[in-house]
Amino acid sequence: MVQLSRRHLLAATAGAAAVSLTGCGDGGDSDSGDLDGNKAGAMDDFKLGDQFKATEPLKFSIMMLSNQNYPFNANWPFLAELARRTNVSFEATAVPGSDYNQKRSVVVSAGNAPMIIPKTYHPDEEAFIAGGAILPVSDYTHLMPHYTDKVKRWNLQGNLDGFSQQDGKYYLLPGLHENAWQDYSLAMRTDVLTKHGLAVPATWDELTTTLRALRAAYPDRYPFSDRWSTPPQPGANNLIGILGSSYGTHAGWAYNSITWDNTAAKFVLSGAMDQYRQVLQYLSTLVGEKLLDPESFTQTDDNARQKFAAGKSFVISANAQTLVSECRKDIAKIPGATVAKIPLPLGPMGATLPGESRLENGIMISKKARESKNFVAMIQFIDWLWYSDAGLMFSKWGIQGDTYTGSVDDGTFALDPKVKWGGLNPTAPKDLQVDYGYFNGVFAYGGSTKILNSQFSDEEKAFQAEMNKRQTRDVDPPHPLSPEEREQAALWESTLKDHVFQQTLRFALGQRPLSEWDAYLGELRTKNMDKYLDLVNKAYQRYKDKK
C-alpha cells in the first residue's frame, strides 16, 4: 500500500497557482474554454456542496486496481448505489495490484488507456507527458469546485507546485489531505517484548538494541522478517522508505530520484546522499548481525506473513488496516500472542514528518477523454466522488443508515454492527470491502482529518495523536521541466534509478561492502548523474528567477 511515495509518494508562484486552479497554465495555451461540444450529461450549474448527478445515463471507462484481499466485483452494492446517485456506471478494466503499474504503463503508452486512470503516484505521470497520452488536468480544475475549495482552504498550492511542468500545468489530480499523516510503521509482538522485559523502541537505534536482545533469546530465527518489496526492483519497499524519511532522504517506496539539499541550496541525487549511505549502513548492520531476514527485500508478502504467523519472526511492516486484518489474524493460533503497531521510530531527522504526505496517489485522465461529448460531466463526477466530503464519505463508508450511522462532524459516526472493516466490528458477518465494495482502494484517498479519523480504532487514534505531535517538514521546491528536458531527464533518471535500486540491495545484504561507496558514486557519474542534476538545478533556478 503507500506511497507515501508512495511516493511516496510539490503553482509556480502564488499567482501562478491561482492561475492553474482557474484552468490556464503559465506558459501554455489552455483549451479549457472550448468545451461547448463536450457538455452532454453535465450539470449546468455544478457548484460547491452539490450532489453530482448526470442529466442522462453515462458510462466511463476506468482502470480499477483489484486488491487480492477484496477483488473487484462488478456486482458490488457500491457500484449500484453510485449509479443511482450519480447516473454514472463504469466500464472497468480490473487489474491485480501486482500488475497495476506495468499494465498502466503499457496501455497509456499505447494510447489504449481508459478515460480515468486512478491510483497513480507522482511523479509516475511524468513518463507519459512528452508522448501526449494524458491531459494537463490543471486546465480543467475550474470545473471542479470541491477540489479547488480544498486546495485553497487547506493551503495546498505550494504542495502542488512540484507537480507543475515548465508549461505551468500539472498532469495528475492528487488526493488531498487536510493535514500531514503517517500510517505505515512496524508491528511488533508485544507479548514477546513483555516476556523479555523489553520496551517498545522509540528510535531506530533502540530497535537495533531490541532486535539484538531478541536474537540472543531466539538464536535460531531472525527477529525481523519483512514484506512489501516490489520485485523486480527490491530496492523499493516500505522499510527502506520509512528509514529514508527518518534519515532525510527519499528511498524505498518513497523513492524520488532527487532530494533538496537545503544547506547546498540545490538538488542532489537521493541515492548518492550520505543520508542514503547511512540508511544502507543501518540495514547492512541488521542483516550482518542476523537481526533482519535477508529475504525481507525479495520474498513475497505471503512468505513474510507465514514466518510471522509461525512465530519465526516478531517484527513486520504494517499499517492500521493490515495490523488488524492480517497481523492479528496471522498470530491468532499462538497462545497469548499480541501485536501492536509502534510509533514510527525516530532517526536523525527527529520528530518530523514529510510534507509530501498531504498529497496522495491520484488520477490521470487519458487524452481521448477530452474528445468525449461527456467530458465536462466526467470532470464534475470526478470532483464529486474524489473531492467532495459527501463523495468521500460514500466511497469510504457507504450509506448512512445502512452501513454506518451518525456523522463525523459531531463525532457520532459509527460503523453499523453488521459490518466490519479493519479493527472496527471484527466479528461482524459482512465485510465493508469484500461484500459491499466500499473503501475499495481506488476512490477514497484524502479528505478532512475528521473523515480520516473516522476509520481509526481507539488504538490507531492514539498512534495518530503521537504522530500529530511531530513537525511537518517543508516540501522540496519546484523544478519544472520543458517537454524536451523531461524526455531527456526520464532517460537518465530511469538508468540511475535502476542502478540505485540494484546496488541498494547489494549494499543492504552485505554483498557489496560500504567501503565501495565512492566507487558506487563513480558508477552513478558514468550514468550521467551530473548531467541529470545540472538539468534539474537549472530548471529550479529558472523557476526561481521567474518568481
Side-chain angles (χ1 to χ4, degrees):
M1 297 185 65
V2 103
Q3 350 177 116
L4 74 23
S5 184
R6 83 199 96 153
R7 296 214 114 10
H8 218 2
L9 35 62
L10 299 51
T13 61
V19 170
S20 291
L21 289 172
T22 57
C24 295
D26 180 20
D29 294 330
S30 170
D31 71 344
S32 60
D34 184 23
L35 293 166
D36 290 343
N38 308 94
K39 295 181 178 179
M43 295 175 61
D44 287 337
D45 185 26
F46 180 59
K47 60 185 182 298
L48 184 67
D50 284 351
Q51 158 71 57
F52 170 79
K53 188 163 188 177
T55 58
E56 60 184 79
L58 302 177
K59 178 173 284 190
F60 299 130
S61 57
I62 185 172
M63 194 166 178
M64 286 282 296
L65 181 143
S66 183
N67 192 294
Q68 64 175 355
N69 294 317
Y70 36 94
F72 174 75
N73 182 348
N75 296 317
W76 272 337
F78 160 71
L79 297 173
E81 179 65 17
L82 180 66
R84 189 190 71 79
R85 293 191 182 198
T86 66
N87 223 1
V88 171
S89 59
F90 290 133
E91 179 185 340
T93 300
V95 182
S98 59
D99 299 328
Y100 192 82
N101 288 353
Q102 182 178 1
K103 175 72 171 180
R104 182 190 61 202
S105 295
V106 170
V107 298
V108 174
S109 299
N112 298 323
M115 292 182 178
I116 304 172
I117 313 161
K119 202 71 176 180
T120 298
Y121 289 87
H122 178 74
D124 289 356
E125 81 281 6
E126 294 181 348
F128 311 113
I129 294 174
I134 59 173
L135 289 179
V137 290
S138 56
D139 277 351
Y140 308 101
T141 55
H142 66 292
L143 302 171
M144 304 177 68
H146 299 96
Y147 175 86
T148 54
D149 172 69
K150 282 181 167 57
V151 169
K152 182 179 179 180
R153 220 165 13 98
W154 295 346
N155 194 28
L156 286 164
Q157 290 91 338
N159 294 65
L160 286 166
D161 279 356
F163 282 39
S164 297
Q165 305 301 304
Q166 192 187 24
D167 60 7
K169 305 178 184 185
Y170 54 92
Y171 294 72
L172 179 72
L173 288 169
L176 308 175
H177 286 287
E178 183 177 4
N179 295 298
W181 76 294
Q182 178 71 35
D183 186 7
Y184 289 81
S185 186
L186 303 177
M188 300 190 73
R189 282 278 302 278
T190 45
D191 61 307
V192 175
L193 295 181
T194 300
K195 177 180 179 180
H196 297 284
L198 300 171
V200 171
T203 68
W204 290 104
D205 286 342
E206 288 180 12
L207 176 66
T208 304
T209 301
T210 300
L211 294 176
R212 284 170 176 156
L214 292 174
R215 175 71 186 185
Y218 305 91
D220 61 334
R221 66 199 78 176
Y222 296 103
F224 189 176
S225 185
D226 210 15
R227 59 173 168 184
W228 287 338
S229 291
T230 53
Q233 292 184 317
N237 69 4
N238 173 64
L239 174 59
I240 302 176
I242 57 178
L243 267 169
S245 178
S246 299
Y247 277 80
T249 186
H250 295 108
W253 269 2
Y255 188 77
N256 187 321
S257 290
I258 53 173
T259 299
W260 179 252
D261 185 330
N262 199 52
T263 301
K266 65 179 181 180
F267 284 100
V268 296
L269 194 78
S270 301
M273 296 175 69
D274 190 63
Q275 291 91 329
Y276 200 94
R277 183 193 62 78
Q278 292 174 39
V279 169
L280 298 180
Q281 181 66 66
Y282 182 86
L283 291 170
S284 65
T285 296
L286 296 190
V287 172
E289 295 186 22
K290 298 184 178 181
L291 308 179
L292 175 65
D293 184 353
E295 294 183 355
S296 295
F297 305 98
T298 54
Q299 69 185 342
T300 65
D301 290 2
D302 286 345
N303 283 345
R305 289 178 60 189
Q306 287 167 10
K307 293 173 183 178
F308 192 72
K312 294 180 179 179
S313 67
F314 310 114
V315 185
I316 192 170
S317 282
N319 58 29
Q321 185 175 351
T322 60
L323 174 69
V324 177
S325 63
E326 296 178 0
C327 297
R328 289 202 169 124
K329 287 183 178 180
D330 290 344
I331 62 170
K333 293 183 179 180
I334 302 176
T338 56
V339 60
K341 187 176 74 164
I342 70 170
L344 185 67
L346 299 176
M349 295 300 291
T352 63
L353 293 175
E356 288 88 350
S357 63
R358 296 190 66 200
L359 298 184
E360 261 284 4
N361 72 76
I363 307 158
M364 296 189 296
I365 300 176
S366 67
K367 184 178 181 180
K368 68 180 180 183
R370 179 63 179 81
E371 303 166 6
S372 169
K373 65 179 182 179
N374 308 123
F375 177 70
V376 172
M378 188 187 77
I379 297 296
Q380 293 176 346
F381 168 75
I382 289 172
D383 180 64
W384 180 81
L385 184 57
W386 269 274
Y387 298 103
S388 75
D389 287 348
L392 287 164
M393 278 298 295
F394 167 67
S395 59
K396 186 184 287 280
W397 293 123
I399 304 171
Q400 188 177 33
D402 179 16
T403 52
Y404 75 91
T405 58
S407 168
V408 299
D409 293 327
D410 60 11
T412 59
F413 169 86
L415 195 60
D416 189 276
K418 71 176 180 291
V419 182
K420 62 184 173 184
W421 178 87
L424 306 178
N425 303 339
T427 61
K430 293 288 187 178
D431 187 288
L432 185 73
Q433 295 166 310
V434 175
D435 298 313
Y436 290 91
Y438 298 113
F439 223 134
N440 58 42
V442 176
F443 303 101
Y445 281 91
S448 69
T449 299
K450 285 184 177 180
I451 290 178
L452 175 68
N453 287 342
S454 69
Q455 71 192 61
F456 297 146
S457 63
D458 289 342
E459 176 185 21
E460 180 62 19
K461 286 177 183 177
F463 175 90
Q464 291 298 327
E466 187 65 31
M467 293 298 98
N468 289 339
K469 296 175 184 178
R470 302 187 181 186
Q471 183 178 356
T472 302
R473 302 198 294 266
D474 291 336
V475 297
D476 291 348
H479 60 284
L481 302 173
S482 69
E484 296 77 17
E485 289 171 334
R486 166 48 51 200
E487 188 172 6
Q488 177 61 75
L491 294 174
W492 287 336
E493 188 175 24
S494 177
T495 302
L496 288 165
K497 180 179 179 180
D498 286 346
H499 193 68
V500 168
F501 280 4
Q502 291 165 6
Q503 301 310 308
T504 292
L505 182 61
R506 294 187 65 206
F507 281 126
L509 292 176
Q511 296 170 351
R512 186 174 188 180
L514 266 300
S515 59
E516 293 186 12
W517 182 255
D518 288 343
Y520 159 73
L521 297 181
E523 293 158 10
L524 293 175
R525 293 188 183 95
T526 66
K527 298 180 185 300
N528 296 301
M529 176 179 71
D530 294 336
K531 290 181 180 179
Y532 170 63
L533 291 174
D534 185 58
L535 185 151
V536 168
N537 282 305
K538 283 181 177 178
Y540 160 72
Q541 192 61 46
R542 182 175 61 218
Y543 158 81
K544 183 181 177 183
D545 291 343
K546 285 184 178 180
K547 291 183 67 174

